Amino acid sequence: PQVVERCVAAAGYSVGEFAALVFAGALDFAEALYAVKVRAEAMQKASEAVPSGMLSVVGRREANYKFACLEARKHCESLGIENPVCTVSNYLFPDSRVIAGHLQALEFLQENARKYYFKRAKMLPVSGAFHTRLMEPAVEPLAEVLKSIEIQKPLLCVYSNVDGKKYMHSKHIQKLLVKQVVSPVLWEQTMHSVYERKQGTEFPYTYEVGPGNQLGAILKQCNLKAWKQYKHVDALEDEEEAE
């Protein structure tokens, strides 16, 4: 309980941003859950419209992700795909990105991984190119539902995936949650914003709540000193003990 009372900031990765905003008192739990349901269904529908996906990439220092994506788009154009999409959709930690877009573009990058200095290029088990403009059909349904629910000013700092900065007010939250669907998740940049402090200042305790500890693994790569104060809280542990 004292951790919750003393908490100063929150952030959530992709859909986790709704959880962070509920925690900060900006969104009501039931309303946020409904918004997440609408968002998920709309994104699924957008995914079904175009064969697309996401590619997890770990690159060498010399990797140029923008150039690789540009060449992958040119490859798609040569196949007759109009207006192809291939772009960085998630910034995870230095030298790690998720690239999303048309399936043919991602396959091209996998086949040419060595040329682009990718140490690893692995397809993610998802059905669409989330956080790219291929998700545009999902924008309107989410915008509509967010207009219909009450959004308060957060009681503590919540950082946005869209720009890595703190949310200012309820209209700002409404606008950026919609924009997040078609914008890259700037998680690496968010980590730098959250943990930026004067030299010699102690780092705060960080708690990752929920299944898996991937965000802790990312934090370790972004900021080793901050990671030393990290703990993982699995949401299922308490329930299993209760049973």
Side-chain angles (χ1 to χ4, degrees):
Q2 66 271 27
V3 168
V4 174
E5 281 162 28
R6 287 164 52 194
C7 185
V8 292
Y13 185 92
S14 189
V15 72
E17 204 159 278
F18 285 85
L21 288 161
V22 169
F23 175 75
L27 295 176
D28 169 75
F29 176 71
E31 289 187 329
L33 214 50
Y34 177 62
V36 165
K37 178 179 182 281
V38 170
R39 177 185 182 271
E41 287 169 356
M43 287 169 82
Q44 182 57 34
K45 206 172 167 188
S47 298
E48 286 161 9
V50 176
S52 58
M54 302 179 87
L55 185 72
S56 172
V57 173
V58 176
R60 299 188 190 284
R61 284 277 161 88
E62 46 284 52
N64 183 332
Y65 303 96
K66 269 188 177 167
F67 176 67
C69 288
L70 174 69
E71 294 223 318
R73 288 196 298 271
K74 282 181 181 168
H75 167 73
C76 285
E77 282 166 0
S78 75
L79 299 175
I81 298 169
E82 282 180 37
N83 219 353
V85 171
C86 182
T87 184
V88 174
S89 63
N90 305 69
Y91 291 81
L92 301 179
F93 55 86
D95 306 320
S96 179
R97 307 276 185 272
V98 176
I99 294 173
H102 280 80
L103 222 40
Q104 296 90 333
L106 305 180
E107 284 162 0
F108 171 83
L109 290 178
Q110 264 193 310
E111 284 160 21
N112 295 279
R114 286 182 67 181
K115 178 187 172 185
Y116 299 115
Y117 301 104
F118 295 166
K119 283 191 277 192
R120 200 185 77 210
K122 186 182 164 198
M123 288 297 288
L124 294 177
V126 295
S127 57
F130 306 136
H131 303 292
T132 72
R133 64 177 168 81
L134 287 175
M135 289 293 119
E136 268 167 11
V139 164
E140 201 49 46
L142 181 60
E144 283 306 308
V145 76
L146 288 173
K147 276 181 203 162
S148 72
I149 67 180
E150 202 178 338
I151 303 175
Q152 309 282 351
K153 188 174 192 268
L155 300 170
L156 48 104
C157 296
V158 181
Y159 290 81
S160 164
N161 287 181
V162 173
D163 57 10
K165 294 178 181 154
K166 296 169 193 172
Y167 280 115
M168 306 307 287
H169 48 75
S170 56
K171 277 270 180 273
H172 192 213
I173 293 170
Q174 188 184 335
K175 184 182 163 192
L176 290 191
L177 279 180
V178 173
K179 199 175 174 186
Q180 192 230 59
V181 173
V182 289
S183 303
V185 172
L186 304 186
W187 193 254
E188 183 186 339
Q189 294 85 333
T190 302
M191 292 298 91
H192 294 316
S193 296
V194 171
Y195 296 104
E196 188 181 21
R197 46 209 3 91
K198 288 194 183 88
Q199 214 166 356
T201 313
E202 279 191 17
F203 283 96
Y205 288 104
T206 298
Y207 296 87
E208 178 177 2
V209 183
N213 53 4
Q214 290 91 332
L215 299 181
I218 291 172
L219 176 60
K220 190 178 183 179
Q221 298 288 342
C222 287
N223 190 323
L224 188 59
K225 283 183 180 171
W227 175 78
K228 286 177 179 167
Q229 304 277 40
Y230 160 89
K231 286 187 177 76
H232 175 241
V233 182
D234 193 321
L236 299 173
E237 276 173 16
D238 295 345
E239 287 175 26
E240 281 164 10
E241 280 168 20
E243 280 168 16

